[in-house]
Amino acid sequence: MSEVLFGARATQTLVGRKKALTEIHQAVCQAGTEFRLVLLTAQGGLGKTRLLRELLWHCGLPDDLDPRPPATGDDDWTIKAALRISQLLDFMDTRLHNRAEFLRAARDAFSRPTDDPFSTYDVCYSDLRKKMNAMESYSLVREARERAEQAFDEDYRHLTRPDGGQRLVWILDTAEQLVGYFGGKLVEYDLLRPEDLSAQTEGWLLDFIQQRPPNTTILLAGRGQEGARFFNYLRHLFSEDATHLLEVDLGSFDPKATQDYLEALLADWRDDPTYEDAREYLAEFLGSSEASERSAVLHLYTDGLPIRLALYADLLIESAREPEPLQDTLADAKARVERDGLGQVQFEVEGKFVDLIFDNPGSLRVQILLHLVRARRGLTPHELHFALDSRPDDSAQTWDENKERLAEIEQATVSLRHLSFVKRGPDGRTTLQDEFYRIYDEHMRRSDQVGETARRRTLYEKTCDLTERDLKKKRAELREWRLGRRETLSWEPPVRALQIRYRELAEEDEEHYNLLREEIMVLELTRLYYILLIDPRVGLNDIRYSPREQWQLAQRETVDTLIQVEMRRAIFDKSLRYFIDLPAREVERARGETAWDVLERVLEQKDAAAWIARLFFRGEYKRAIALADALAAKAEEWGPAWQHTFTRSEQRIWREAARIYLGEQVEVAVQVLETITQDLSSLLSPEGIPERGENTFRAPGQPPHPAALSLEIALGTAYNFAGYGYVVQGQFRRAVERYAQALRHFRAAKALVSASMTQTNLARALSELGRARRAERVCRDALAIREQLGEPSHIATTHNTLALIFNDAGRPEEAWSEAVLALIEFRQLGQARGIGLALLQLGEALRRLAVTPSPPDPPSALQEASEHALREALDIFTRDPYANAERLRRIEAELEFGCLYRDRVKFTPAGMVERRETRANNALRHLQAAVDLAEQQKNYRLRIDAQVNIGWLYYYWEKAGEANRVLDTALAWTPPGYTLRPGQAPPKPADPNLPDSFYFQQLSKLHTLRGRLHIERAQARIAALAEGTPDQSKAELVADAQVRQYMEQAAGAFVLAAGYAQLYAPRGVSIPIVFDILYEYLKTFNVIEMQTFFGLVRREQKRYQVALIEAENLADVEQFLLECFGDYFVGDEVPA
Amino acid sequence: MIREPYNADRYVTRLEEEPLWDWLNQTPHRDSRRLGTLVGTTGIGKSWLLAKIRDRADEAGNYLIFWADAPEVLANDIAFQNWLQQVVAQARQAGLTIDFHRSAQMSYLVRQIAAQCCGTSSTPARWPLLLVDQADMLPPEMLKTILERSLLQPFLQEWCTRAIITLRNERGLAHHYLKRKEWPLAVSTWSDDKGREQLRKRNSGLDLAQQTPGYEAVSPGVNSWFDNRFRQSGALNVNDLEECLRERTKDTAGEPLTTEAFEDLIHLSEQDGWTIEEFALRVRCSTSEAMSRLGVLTDRVILLGPGGRYSLPYDLRGLISAYLKRRAE
């Protein structure tokens, strides 16, 4: 006998399923074009997948391990019916749970090497990929994506057209996996709507079935009990037209099928000398007078379960001694079952099977099997190689793969797949049939639970180690790839910024890139799964292993949902628990709970919060708020754990973030977030929250609460969104404080992705405060981290923030290229919001470049390029369904568009009256729209910003009166505390009662314009006087009361402009701007004018007491620490 | 181990003997389990037990006993034929009419002998009893073709026949028919006082507690080996213990353990019941290598316990313990 376990080989002939196969034949081959649904339900181990393979063989798609020749004659079902059957699509592969991935897989499953039935879809899909790779505008990408889905639909309709089409047969296995993972408790309580699940295959499939497409048979196989909700819903759908629904419920084998199975085994071995002994044994068995009785005993003990029969048969053939129960007569067997119970008898026999495995430790097949049986997620040959062949001291980092050995393992793994309990899993993994896991687990649980727990831990740790190494390697590879790609970037002058592209990818390169990203995702999921098995508390709480936020931030919901699936698989699979050493914590015991009770609940709670977050990241802010509210209403019903501050806060954070993004009651939302940060901070303090009976998560001298890291993350997230709320309101100083705090907590939790996100946000806020250098430093740090991590959308976001910083700092020549880097990346990813944001920065950079002293391109051309960019941005933030809910962005786009037209007015020659009017009106329209939208949103920062810009527009439009009028309005909007008043002490920049520092910025701009208007009025008056009375002296002209008044007003305005600029940001660009403008006037002044102006300035400075302005000390190191890293001060006593 | 010829005076009664004798004395029928398999490790006393049963059966007078020392008489076709010729002669002596043709199929001949022995009446004159010692010392091919197919299976086809064979491990029989007929009996180490009784019967001056500290006299074969060596040299030293250990762990072909396997054995003696991973950690090797190394030992010495834990037989652990103690001295 050349190999062990050969007796459990799947038979070539299908046994005991003739009736089921005939029924399915009808549903597949019967004439007619109506839609048919086949539900093939059964418990595990009854042979659903085997039956599906048989069906595939009949339809010309045999499994590659099926040794039979292709079906011919009556066996070939495709002769009489026009059929096209899909390859087996197994929902064990969680990627198929995502609708887009599923459609792509379905296309592949229906295609053959020689023919391509989805040619329209393929063209559209290829076009979509091309557009994404060519970084076309997002609206084009979106259209291409929608077109691809439509094309699938069209191709499908064409293929299945009632006149002359084919019947398409979908073979979908393990359908029970499709349900339950996404919604959990939320679905159970109807808190999720069907459209919430629309991105999932489940939703698509239900829609598709409801449409009842003609010439279609969908065969859904799954465990009836586990998938009951799904299957029952389908039954309900067909309650009116039951003729279109075929239910095939696979029952147990009868005694005859049991004997048929053994005969089929014997037949398979007929011509193979390898199985001589087995053949002889079976021939004797079946030829003996007691054959039918022995088969009946086998049937009794296996309970008619084919998988169990395969194992028992193997045991009979291979083991040296027949297990005692299997030697029983039928009467004895019945008596034994009566006496001991069937479960006990099965346990006894199956124990022998486990012994049989352990008794052959030298066999590679056994070695592989003993690893596979401990890893329900399945193992790849690569993982098996490391698990089997690495020594205890070997680290994956230094591990060298042996190609020959790997090939040997691959070969052995393939040979194992011939066994009836071994399955092919996704990503080259090999898995086992559930019943086999159960048998082994049950045996080990009773015989050596402690030893088995340790063994599994060793395997999981090794697999994690290897995965960690592979992750590093793949990330480095991706980084290399990206660097190489960056080199293909053909830079153009700024005016052609929108045309800058990477070189178009060859299909092979594109495949490589996509594969790399896919591999990284799979590796992360693998690591998470095994971490969950090593220590579920760590897996659930340590964000390094469950970086959902990373994927959410990257708008890769597919991955986020897959993480959810992995978590649920690991936590809810009760059979895994026997071998995870997880004693209940003292508080859990005191509550009468097990550690698993708590973990299950925590996972439900995390999923609930994740759903709100998911809706938030989808841009469905209102829906996110509604779900959070619904959950809050349920909290009481679901028990005190759902009312815990931490749980409530986790949900509430996303709710308030949604409100901020919606622009609804931003102030209130920020206040709630502030309360949340206080509450969560209390839970980290030694006291906890005693009034609510909630203990601390970090008790001194004790190990931290398992969720302490999660709490740090939640706290960081709350601070982060509070920071963003302040940014929206223009309260950048507060924003900086909150971001820095967020950063501190993210660092504590080692949440690199979140930390780098917050750094990016912090950089933006620092930039707004005029700390350009500081902002750039922090932002470049974030960029370096993100380059390491390799997620393109994160890298793009940080490039975009760098562009913003450079724009704010008046460095458009650096800003535009950063914006381009962000833009091409977002285009490739097809992310509307990112594209819009990058276009805004690019538009602003190009606009600013046009007004630099030495523009790199003709200003008008730069402005035109800016206009193209801004138009697309405005379109995205106005019309794109995925980006238009964030109203703030639309206001910013309108504002920037207005500014562009305003600049174009400035540069339009006076003679081109009509063009100037058109441009001015355009500018006014956009700026006024910004004012109105900001008014609606109660966004006072953008309102006054737009209003002041309208003032400037009128100035360039030479409508001084209008300019003054709008400036008066802007001034009236300014709260009194922010203004410099004669004889009164100036406001303090860091006064906590004056958080809206943007007022200082806008007042500076406003008074600069005012100063300009006054000076020019003075100059105009002087010119008029000089023209009317040419003999007047310079002194007399300046002494004119009107001139004097204008000069006084101008001096006052510039003093105020500089004062406000200082209040806003002493090192910001506002002060230079004020002085640049002033300088241009002063250089034309004569001595008298200069003397007068000098004197007036000194007087105004005294009057407004600007010398008392407490400008910020930017050399304060402590302030620097606080702003860049957060508050780490723990008292004067420096920790050792 | 050196096989000592059976000596009735030195035989020590053991627990397995009576159940085996009782089984033998039950009236057989077609469906009864008529193949006794005595399974136990090297030197545990299977052959002496078998010989004792032979003596008792002989003494009882109602058995026609055919004895086969497997490595000697079943190792090839010629030896088998020669042995069969003796068996036929023995049967003829007992009054049975059996022709012997060298050209006849051996299995046919065996079946004929068995049939003749059982005769047509409900009680044969003498119950045919086949005793095969050291069955698994045969090369695997011979075990399958000669022992199983040509001897045991045809012999046991007749309702009145019984056979007893000795095996060192359970991986002996593959044939369906034999598995169905098997009545297994595990022969295990005996108690220390039985060991002392054995030494007394041998008139041994050996004081095991002094010479082999840690080893209790639980294995007859080891006890005999020690006694013989003690008689030669008057004392046992560490080399004797090592030699005994190597003898005890030879495989069925008489091959001693490799150095690595010998070291593994020493490691395995450190605790009772090893998981593969624990063993891999102990010997600093990969899981696969550990499994392969355990695989080498499972065929000879290792016992498989519950939950896939591997351990050494009790006598062997004691023997290693004594060896290590002496080595440490």
Side-chain angles (χ1 to χ4, degrees):
Chain A
M1 295 173 192
S2 63
E3 53 192 27
V4 290
L5 305 174
F6 60 88
R9 205 181 157 96
T11 56
Q12 289 179 36
T13 314
L14 183 70
V15 173
R17 300 295 179 216
K18 195 172 174 185
K19 180 170 170 279
L21 195 64
T22 309
E23 286 172 351
I24 293 172
H25 177 266
Q26 284 283 97
V28 170
C29 298
Q30 194 179 33
T33 59
E34 75 281 8
F35 173 81
R36 296 166 199 158
L37 176 66
V38 182
L39 300 184
L40 174 60
T41 53
Q43 70 177 89
L46 275 170
K48 293 181 290 296
T49 308
R50 175 69 186 86
L51 182 58
L52 294 182
R53 287 200 181 133
E54 187 71 9
L55 168 62
L56 286 166
W57 179 74
H58 281 293
C59 295
L61 282 180
D63 187 273
D64 56 5
L65 294 177
D66 194 334
R68 289 179 290 180
T72 52
D74 284 348
D75 284 339
D76 184 357
W77 294 3
T78 60
I79 292 176
K80 290 180 188 159
L83 284 182
R84 181 181 288 272
I85 195 163
S86 76
Q87 299 275 8
L88 194 142
L89 292 162
D90 190 340
F91 288 114
M92 276 303 284
D93 183 353
T94 44
R95 276 166 296 188
L96 296 185
H97 296 204
N98 177 270
R99 165 189 180 148
E101 300 265 354
F102 177 74
L103 284 188
R104 188 75 199 145
R107 176 257 171 230
D108 293 343
F110 279 115
S111 300
R112 306 287 179 265
T114 50
D115 103 296
D116 178 8
F118 286 91
S119 53
T120 319
Y121 168 74
D122 286 347
V123 169
C124 292
Y125 186 80
S126 162
D127 182 51
L128 166 68
R129 295 298 316 166
K130 275 210 177 79
K131 282 197 163 62
M132 289 175 78
N133 283 326
M135 291 143 280
E136 296 282 6
S137 78
Y138 178 70
S139 57
L140 291 179
V141 171
R142 191 181 62 222
E143 281 167 18
R145 183 173 290 146
E146 286 166 1
R147 177 79 195 106
E149 283 207 9
Q150 279 169 11
F152 182 91
D153 201 40
E154 283 165 24
D155 282 339
Y156 191 86
R157 281 173 204 277
H158 179 73
L159 277 168
T160 55
R161 64 194 180 282
D163 50 335
Q166 294 171 298
R167 172 164 289 273
L168 260 63
V169 184
W170 298 69
I171 308 296
L172 307 175
D173 199 5
T174 332
E176 78 278 3
Q177 290 283 326
L178 199 55
V179 291
Y181 280 129
F182 294 110
K185 205 171 175 77
L186 273 61
V187 166
E188 195 185 325
Y189 281 82
D190 284 334
L191 296 181
L192 289 179
R193 298 174 184 166
E195 58 267 30
D196 294 335
L197 296 158
S198 63
Q200 324 306 341
T201 304
E202 183 186 357
W204 182 87
L205 198 57
L206 288 175
D207 275 353
F208 188 66
I209 290 172
Q210 269 174 316
Q211 289 166 22
R212 291 171 170 63
N215 252 338
T216 297
T217 299
I218 295 183
L219 201 156
L220 266 170
R223 296 179 176 213
Q225 206 175 346
E226 287 89 332
R229 190 175 64 84
F230 185 61
F231 291 124
N232 286 339
Y233 181 71
L234 290 172
R235 288 180 188 113
H236 166 73
L237 285 182
F238 284 79
S239 54
E240 302 285 304
D241 52 352
T243 51
H244 295 165
L245 173 69
L246 169 66
E247 291 251 26
V248 180
D249 186 4
L250 283 191
S252 308
F253 272 10
D254 57 20
K256 182 180 178 309
T258 304
Q259 191 163 341
D260 289 348
Y261 169 80
L262 298 174
E263 275 164 7
L265 262 185
L266 183 62
D268 288 350
W269 294 332
R270 186 170 298 128
D271 302 319
D272 193 337
T274 323
Y275 302 112
E276 192 187 336
D277 289 340
R279 189 170 58 224
E280 197 175 315
Y281 176 89
L282 261 189
E284 288 271 356
F285 182 104
L286 292 164
S288 73
S289 57
E290 36 182 23
S292 64
E293 185 176 18
R294 295 205 73 193
S295 298
V297 172
L298 266 180
H299 174 257
L300 177 68
Y301 286 150
T302 58
D303 205 15
L305 197 69
I307 182 76
R308 202 178 279 135
L309 175 60
L311 301 186
Y312 287 26
D314 181 69
L315 195 54
L316 280 174
I317 296 164
E318 271 201 87
S319 67
R321 193 152 294 134
E322 291 180 352
E324 205 184 313
L326 297 186
Q327 300 183 38
D328 285 344
T329 62
L330 187 57
D332 287 346
K334 284 178 179 169
R336 188 190 291 271
V337 169
E338 184 72 30
R339 185 184 68 236
D340 301 342
L342 182 58
Q344 179 55 35
V345 182
Q346 287 172 343
F347 176 75
E348 201 178 312
V349 176
E350 287 154 11
K352 297 288 177 200
F353 186 80
V354 175
D355 286 347
L356 180 69
I357 299 173
F358 277 111
D359 210 19
N360 289 280
S363 153
L364 180 58
R365 280 158 62 100
V366 162
Q367 295 176 6
I368 291 173
L369 191 64
L370 277 177
H371 283 78
L372 290 177
V373 77
R374 294 170 185 147
R376 285 194 171 216
R377 195 167 191 273
L379 293 168
T380 62
H382 171 69
E383 288 165 342
L384 279 165
H385 179 23
F386 184 65
L388 282 166
D389 298 322
S390 63
R391 290 161 181 270
D393 298 332
D394 283 339
S395 146
Q397 301 303 320
T398 52
W399 165 251
D400 284 326
E401 216 158 64
N402 178 331
K403 297 264 180 295
E404 283 173 17
R405 172 68 169 167
L406 186 61
E408 192 187 354
I409 290 170
E410 271 168 351
Q411 205 179 358
T413 310
V414 170
S415 87
L416 275 172
R417 284 189 188 154
H418 287 286
L419 304 184
S420 54
F421 57 85
V422 182
K423 293 166 74 171
R424 188 199 313 254
D427 307 312
R429 292 168 192 281
T430 302
T431 61
L432 305 179
Q433 216 283 333
D434 270 3
E435 187 63 13
F436 191 84
Y437 291 122
R438 188 202 63 72
I439 288 171
Y440 181 80
D441 288 354
E442 187 59 18
H443 187 77
M444 297 314 289
R445 184 176 73 84
R446 294 211 219 166
S447 55
D448 187 15
Q449 193 172 6
V450 174
E452 182 66 11
T453 302
R455 288 167 181 159
R456 290 189 188 210
R457 195 179 171 103
T458 306
L459 173 64
Y460 302 154
E461 283 171 348
K462 278 192 176 187
T463 313
C464 265
D465 187 22
L466 185 72
T467 310
E468 193 72 57
R469 180 198 76 162
D470 290 351
L471 255 178
K472 276 187 190 155
K473 272 168 75 172
K474 293 292 171 191
R475 284 209 178 108
E477 212 176 311
L478 186 66
R479 221 166 23 250
E480 284 294 308
W481 191 93
R482 289 177 57 78
L483 288 175
R485 182 104 170 104
R486 183 73 62 83
E487 280 169 18
T488 71
L489 201 60
S490 51
W491 283 101
E492 302 268 356
V495 73
R496 291 179 50 78
L498 287 168
Q499 278 76 48
I500 294 174
R501 300 277 187 272
Y502 286 125
R503 192 184 59 214
E504 195 174 332
L505 277 178
E507 203 169 308
E508 193 181 279
D509 283 344
E510 190 190 333
E511 284 290 312
H512 177 67
Y513 174 69
N514 290 335
L515 190 67
L516 260 180
R517 296 187 66 197
E518 173 93 5
E519 283 171 338
I520 289 174
M521 178 193 80
V522 170
L523 286 168
E524 290 215 358
L525 293 174
T526 306
R527 183 180 59 174
L528 168 64
Y529 180 77
Y530 287 110
I531 289 285
L532 283 164
L533 299 192
I534 293 168
D535 188 341
R537 290 182 178 125
V538 171
L540 273 190
N541 289 298
D542 193 331
I543 198 155
R544 283 175 301 169
Y545 305 118
S546 53
R548 298 178 78 159
E549 36 103 62
Q550 168 186 331
W551 304 107
Q552 286 173 338
L553 281 170
Q555 295 189 23
R556 290 180 69 185
E557 190 180 310
T558 319
V559 192
D560 166 37
T561 50
L562 293 184
I563 288 177
Q564 192 174 338
V565 172
E566 293 295 351
M567 284 186 161
R568 293 190 86 90
R569 274 192 179 164
I571 300 297
F572 283 92
D573 187 343
K574 293 190 168 56
S575 60
L576 292 172
R577 298 178 183 177
Y578 300 131
F579 309 107
I580 297 175
D581 186 20
L582 193 74
R585 295 164 58 242
E586 204 176 304
V587 284
E588 292 164 354
R589 273 197 298 273
R591 288 198 299 261
E593 288 182 308
T594 67
W596 292 103
D597 294 336
V598 176
L599 285 174
E600 280 187 11
R601 191 182 58 238
V602 166
L603 186 54
E604 289 287 7
Q605 288 168 340
K606 277 190 174 296
D607 280 352
W611 260 107
I612 306 170
R614 192 171 294 147
L615 293 167
F616 169 84
F617 283 110
R618 282 182 191 172
E620 295 176 25
Y621 304 121
K622 287 188 173 168
R623 181 76 196 97
I625 294 167
L627 178 60
D629 291 344
L631 269 166
K634 283 279 174 204
E636 203 164 327
E637 187 184 328
W638 291 351
W642 285 82
Q643 296 159 40
H644 192 279
T645 299
F646 180 35
T647 307
R648 282 190 297 112
S649 300
E650 270 195 313
Q651 298 165 10
R652 198 79 200 265
I653 289 166
W654 294 106
R655 179 192 192 275
E656 301 313 320
R659 286 215 288 176
I660 293 170
Y661 272 66
L662 260 183
E664 282 181 1
Q665 296 180 295
V666 175
E667 274 177 58
V668 180
V670 170
Q671 274 318 305
V672 175
L673 286 168
E674 291 283 23
T675 310
I676 288 172
T677 59
Q678 285 164 17
D679 283 349
L680 296 181
S681 298
S682 300
L683 287 175
L684 283 177
S685 72
E687 296 79 27
I689 308 180
E691 64 273 22
R692 293 182 208 157
E694 292 172 356
N695 296 328
T696 175
F697 280 45
R698 284 197 192 281
Q702 287 178 31
H705 187 286
L709 282 183
S710 284
L711 188 79
E712 296 274 8
I713 298 289
L715 192 47
T717 310
Y719 271 124
N720 183 65
F721 282 123
Y724 184 68
Y726 286 124
V727 165
V728 168
Q729 295 176 78
Q731 298 178 7
F732 297 106
R733 214 174 294 278
R734 284 186 175 169
V736 164
E737 278 175 28
R738 300 307 183 273
Y739 282 141
Q741 285 298 83
L743 189 57
R744 188 168 71 85
H745 289 289
F746 285 141
R747 278 169 186 258
K750 296 184 172 58
L752 276 186
V753 177
S754 302
S756 63
M757 166 197 71
T758 295
Q759 278 183 309
T760 305
N761 294 340
L762 172 62
R764 189 243 163 125
L766 285 169
S767 168
E768 296 282 359
L769 284 179
R771 284 117 156 101
R773 187 76 194 89
R774 213 166 272 188
E776 188 183 343
R777 190 183 293 118
V778 171
C779 201
R780 289 208 183 276
D781 186 21
L783 184 60
I785 294 169
R786 292 182 153 196
E787 291 273 11
Q788 286 287 323
L789 295 171
E791 179 53 41
S793 69
H794 296 168
I795 296 167
T797 304
T798 310
H799 278 302
N800 200 48
T801 303
L802 270 177
L804 179 145
I805 292 166
F806 291 140
N807 270 331
D808 282 354
R811 290 152 63 185
E813 61 284 353
E814 291 167 86
W816 79 272
S817 54
E818 294 294 340
V820 165
L821 288 175
L823 179 63
I824 54 179
E825 206 67 72
F826 280 130
R827 282 214 198 284
Q828 199 159 24
L829 296 166
Q831 291 184 4
R833 181 174 183 266
I835 295 169
L837 291 175
L839 286 166
L840 274 182
Q841 291 309 323
L842 181 60
E844 182 175 347
L846 295 174
R847 172 176 70 80
R848 287 180 185 277
L849 269 179
V851 297
T852 50
S854 328
D857 293 300
S860 60
L862 285 167
Q863 286 173 334
E864 274 173 28
S866 168
E867 184 172 342
H868 283 305
L870 294 174
R871 193 176 296 285
E872 194 185 336
L874 187 59
D875 182 58
I876 285 173
F877 291 122
T878 308
R879 291 194 298 168
D880 185 274
Y882 302 101
N884 69 358
E886 202 181 345
R887 290 173 200 153
L888 174 75
R889 301 303 174 188
R890 171 148 182 225
I891 303 172
E892 286 176 346
E894 295 280 9
L895 184 51
E896 192 51 42
F897 223 124
C899 288
L900 172 70
Y901 275 108
R902 180 203 63 199
D903 284 3
R904 300 196 82 178
V905 169
K906 179 180 168 185
F907 286 95
T908 306
M912 301 174 74
V913 179
E914 208 170 310
R915 181 169 291 185
R916 211 163 86 123
E917 282 299 303
T918 309
R919 287 175 173 172
N921 279 317
N922 268 338
L924 187 58
R925 185 159 49 82
H926 286 294
L927 289 171
Q928 193 56 53
V931 170
D932 295 344
L933 284 167
E935 178 79 43
Q936 283 170 21
Q937 295 291 303
K938 296 193 170 45
N939 189 310
Y940 303 124
R941 175 174 70 93
L942 292 177
R943 183 183 67 166
I944 193 169
D945 190 349
Q947 183 76 2
V948 171
N949 273 308
I950 292 175
W952 280 90
L953 167 66
Y954 277 126
Y955 167 73
Y956 294 127
W957 204 356
E958 295 172 359
K959 294 186 175 184
E962 291 299 313
N964 272 314
R965 186 182 57 75
V966 296
L967 292 185
D968 285 344
T969 307
L971 208 50
W973 288 342
T974 309
Y978 291 90
T979 53
L980 289 160
R981 291 165 184 274
Q984 285 186 16
K988 292 181 178 165
D991 184 345
N993 295 317
L994 302 175
D996 299 328
S997 56
F998 63 86
Y999 281 117
F1000 296 136
Q1001 183 191 26
Q1002 295 306 327
L1003 286 171
S1004 174
K1005 282 168 72 179
L1006 182 154
H1007 284 289
T1008 305
L1009 178 55
R1010 275 269 158 86
R1012 256 188 123 144
L1013 287 165
H1014 291 314
I1015 280 193
E1016 287 177 12
R1017 283 164 87 182
Q1019 286 176 330
R1021 174 76 181 160
I1022 289 169
L1025 286 173
E1027 201 177 313
T1029 49
D1031 52 341
Q1032 274 192 310
S1033 69
K1034 301 279 183 193
E1036 282 169 339
L1037 287 173
V1038 175
D1040 174 74
Q1042 280 262 278
V1043 171
R1044 176 87 182 182
Q1045 188 192 347
Y1046 292 149
M1047 291 285 268
E1048 271 177 19
Q1049 287 171 333
F1054 277 111
V1055 163
L1056 288 172
Y1060 284 124
Q1062 192 183 8
L1063 280 167
Y1064 175 59
R1067 269 202 333 218
V1069 289
S1070 300
I1071 296 176
I1073 288 173
V1074 173
F1075 291 139
D1076 281 350
I1077 290 169
L1078 181 57
Y1079 188 88
E1080 289 302 309
Y1081 293 114
L1082 292 179
K1083 71 184 183 186
T1084 66
F1085 277 17
N1086 58 34
V1087 175
I1088 300 294
E1089 286 167 339
M1090 193 62 94
Q1091 286 171 343
T1092 307
F1093 194 72
F1094 202 106
L1096 289 170
V1097 163
R1098 176 167 284 196
R1099 202 183 74 191
E1100 290 301 305
Q1101 288 203 147
K1102 273 188 188 159
R1103 203 157 73 92
Y1104 286 107
Q1105 302 186 17
V1106 290
L1108 298 178
I1109 290 175
E1110 291 174 9
E1112 286 176 294
N1113 174 13
L1114 292 177
D1116 183 334
V1117 181
E1118 192 177 329
Q1119 187 66 20
F1120 169 78
L1121 290 175
L1122 280 170
E1123 286 183 358
C1124 296
F1125 296 95
D1127 188 358
Y1128 281 88
F1129 188 68
V1130 288
D1132 287 332
E1133 201 167 313
V1134 178
Chain B
M1 314 269 349
I2 297 167
R3 289 173 54 77
E4 283 199 341
Y6 173 71
N7 180 335
D9 295 337
R10 289 184 175 182
Y11 178 78
V12 176
T13 310
R14 54 188 307 154
L15 289 173
E16 296 89 350
E17 187 184 323
E18 283 316 307
L20 182 59
W21 183 246
D22 289 347
W23 166 77
L24 189 60
N25 281 316
Q26 286 169 9
T27 306
H29 54 88
R30 184 164 297 282
D31 294 333
S32 62
R33 296 172 187 278
R34 290 179 281 112
L35 172 61
T37 49
L38 308 186
V39 183
T41 56
T42 310
I44 210 73
K46 302 178 294 291
S47 299
W48 278 46
L49 176 59
L50 192 67
K52 175 67 179 173
I53 292 297
R54 179 193 61 193
D55 281 3
R56 285 182 73 173
D58 201 22
E59 206 174 303
N62 57 342
Y63 289 96
L64 180 56
I65 303 164
F66 305 114
W67 177 272
D69 195 359
E72 209 174 293
V73 303
L74 304 177
N76 56 57
D77 287 346
I78 295 170
F80 182 43
Q81 273 187 342
N82 291 339
W83 177 75
L84 269 184
Q85 205 168 354
Q86 291 169 27
V87 166
V88 169
Q90 192 186 344
R92 282 179 186 154
Q93 253 182 359
L96 301 174
T97 323
I98 303 165
D99 292 332
F100 177 77
H101 302 287
R102 280 199 171 265
S103 58
Q105 254 194 358
M106 297 301 110
S107 57
Y108 172 76
L109 196 58
V110 172
R111 181 78 191 260
Q112 259 203 326
I113 295 168
Q116 282 292 324
C117 289
C118 294
T120 49
S121 70
S122 60
T123 311
R126 290 164 75 187
W127 296 99
L129 174 61
L130 172 64
L131 303 174
V132 183
D133 194 16
Q134 303 189 82
D136 60 358
M137 293 293 273
L138 289 170
E141 193 51 34
M142 296 300 115
L143 190 138
K144 197 165 73 180
T145 55
I146 298 184
L147 177 69
E148 289 196 15
R149 291 189 195 160
S150 300
L151 179 58
L152 290 176
Q153 200 203 347
F155 185 76
L156 292 168
Q157 289 286 336
E158 295 302 322
W159 69 274
C160 75
T161 55
R162 255 82 57 90
I164 306 175
I165 65 174
T166 64
L167 296 163
R168 280 207 274 185
N169 61 42
E170 293 188 357
R171 299 166 186 224
L173 306 172
H175 203 281
H176 168 259
Y177 185 78
L178 299 179
K179 283 184 185 181
R180 295 289 288 156
K181 293 288 168 233
E182 187 180 4
W183 182 80
L185 181 69
V187 184
S188 49
T189 50
W190 58 21
S191 59
D192 199 24
D193 49 349
K194 289 268 179 201
R196 283 196 293 274
E197 185 187 339
Q198 181 197 5
L199 291 174
R200 266 200 312 279
K201 284 193 170 182
R202 294 174 69 93
N203 296 319
S204 173
L206 175 64
D207 178 358
L208 280 176
Q210 190 192 9
Q211 298 291 328
T212 60
Y215 168 73
E216 294 166 22
V218 292
S219 166
V222 172
N223 298 347
S224 303
W225 196 94
F226 281 148
D227 182 40
N228 288 339
R229 180 55 57 93
F230 184 74
R231 284 171 195 276
Q232 287 165 19
S233 54
L236 297 177
N237 60 27
V238 65
N239 294 333
D240 296 324
L241 283 164
E242 184 174 339
E243 197 183 330
C244 178
L245 193 49
R246 290 191 186 279
E247 281 293 325
R248 164 71 180 80
T249 52
K250 275 182 179 170
D251 69 4
T252 50
E255 282 295 312
L257 288 174
T258 61
T259 311
E260 182 184 71
F262 188 79
E263 282 304 311
D264 287 346
L265 198 67
I266 302 294
H267 293 312
L268 281 169
S269 73
E270 291 166 10
Q271 70 182 48
D272 189 18
W274 292 77
T275 66
I276 291 157
E277 288 70 16
E278 285 166 353
F279 181 65
L281 201 62
R282 177 65 186 85
V283 299
R284 319 303 295 169
C285 73
S286 70
T287 315
S288 174
E289 195 184 334
M291 292 177 90
S292 298
R293 282 158 73 165
L294 288 170
V296 168
L297 294 171
T298 39
D299 284 339
R300 317 181 174 206
V301 288
I302 284 188
L303 300 176
L304 179 63
R309 282 184 178 268
Y310 301 91
S311 52
L312 296 179
Y314 185 65
D315 67 312
L316 198 52
R317 281 187 70 197
L319 192 53
I320 295 171
S321 164
Y323 163 65
L324 292 175
K325 277 183 187 157
R326 294 303 297 270
R327 195 170 71 171
E329 286 168 11

